């Protein structure tokens, strides 16, 4: 997610993982795994360079969101 979106939405990391801020730690981990599998760049390796680039960017955002939540919660 772009920097300006993070400034507007304080729950950007939860939005990226498609969960609510009240989700438990286990729900956060499950959501991360589910979303990671969905957007992993290897899933679209044969779909073309542009689609793979988009998937890579989305995957980076997912990883960054998960790391942000882990840091916030002290996991």
């Amino acid at each position: 997610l772009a920097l300006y979106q993070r400034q507007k939405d304080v729950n950007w990391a939860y939005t990226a993982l498609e969960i609510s801020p009240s989700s438990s730690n286990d729900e956060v981990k499950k959501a991360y795994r589910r979303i990671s599998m969905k957007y992993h760049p290897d899933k679209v390796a044969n779909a073309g360079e542009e689609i793979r680039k988009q998937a890579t960017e989305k995957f980076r955002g997912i990883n960054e969101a998960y790391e942000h939540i882990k840091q916030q919660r002290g996991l």
Side-chain angles (χ1 to χ4, degrees), residues 8-69:
K8 288 182 183 179
D9 183 8
V10 294
N11 295 321
W12 68 270
Y14 296 98
T15 303
L17 295 182
E18 300 175 359
I19 55 174
S20 71
S22 62
S23 298
S24 70
N25 292 342
D26 285 338
E27 290 171 328
V28 171
K29 187 183 271 188
K30 286 178 186 177
Y32 169 71
R33 288 182 181 158
R34 178 179 48 81
I35 297 291
S36 292
M37 293 296 286
K38 184 177 178 181
Y39 291 105
H40 197 281
D42 289 347
K43 292 274 189 177
V44 294
N46 297 328
E49 186 63 30
E50 186 61 33
I51 293 173
R52 204 172 107 236
K53 263 185 170 176
Q54 290 173 351
T56 301
E57 285 301 313
K58 178 75 172 176
F59 192 68
R60 281 187 191 139
I62 291 166
N63 284 329
E64 194 172 331
Y66 184 58
E67 290 300 319
H68 178 77
I69 292 171

